[in-house]
Amino acid sequence: MKRKQITAMITAMTMVLGITACGSGNVSAEQENKEQTEIESTLNISNNDEITWSYDSQSDSWTMSVTCAVANPELPDYQGVSVNVPGAYVKGIDTNGDGKEDITGKTYSEEVNGRLVIDDSAKIANTNGQTYTALQHRLL
């Protein structure tokens, strides 16, 4: 009889501890929204002043320097991402925030901080006659 009572008490205590442990991990919607906002802000490349762009005239492309791809990197040297954009889609780099290109492929000389100025009217046709625009690539 005592054995059954002890087993029942252990089972009940385990259930209570399990329920308590499950409840302590809950995060409020407000806290979850705050964390999501912080992550999005951290990963938004427009908030990263350290990003630079370089131009390769041989491939006619702009390449963004490596930037972190996660909000809280444990291995920063391995958790980065870089972007390469065909030069046909890019008017240049806006270095002063006015929305107009200050550096172009023709005037590029070294890595530059700023934002890409996209040429929304640019079109590239492949050998099969398919035409692509910068807008189509933005949606991919």
Side-chain angles (χ1 to χ4, degrees):
M1 179 84 168
K2 280 191 171 192
R3 193 175 201 181
K4 287 183 180 181
Q5 287 176 338
I6 292 173
T7 303
M9 286 178 57
I10 291 173
T11 303
M13 288 175 53
T14 304
M15 291 175 69
V16 168
L17 290 173
I19 291 171
T20 305
C22 289
S24 67
N26 291 342
V27 177
S28 70
E30 183 179 323
Q31 178 65 24
E32 196 170 300
N33 287 339
K34 180 181 176 189
E35 289 174 5
Q36 182 176 347
T37 301
E38 288 175 9
I39 290 169
E40 289 174 357
S41 177
T42 300
L43 298 179
N44 185 340
I45 63 172
S46 64
N47 295 337
N48 187 340
D49 294 334
E50 296 177 15
I51 290 177
T52 60
W53 291 92
S54 58
Y55 179 73
D56 181 359
S57 60
Q58 193 171 15
S59 64
D60 185 26
S61 64
W62 289 91
T63 303
M64 180 183 77
S65 60
V66 176
T67 186
C68 193
V70 296
N72 300 305
E74 291 187 27
L75 302 167
D77 292 341
Y78 300 98
Q79 293 174 298
V81 66
S82 183
V83 176
N84 190 280
V85 182
Y89 295 137
V90 180
K91 290 182 179 180
I93 307 294
D94 173 16
T95 60
N96 60 10
D98 66 358
K100 297 181 181 180
E101 65 275 10
D102 303 309
I103 305 291
T104 66
K106 293 178 182 175
T107 62
Y108 172 80
S109 61
E110 58 188 50
E111 287 187 346
V112 62
N113 287 66
R115 291 186 177 180
L116 285 182
V117 179
I118 302 297
D119 184 354
D120 290 324
S121 64
K123 294 181 181 182
I124 297 176
N126 69 10
T127 56
N128 296 326
Q130 295 168 313
T131 302
Y132 298 95
T133 65
L135 180 60
Q136 288 170 317
H137 280 89
R138 284 186 190 185
L139 298 176
L140 294 178

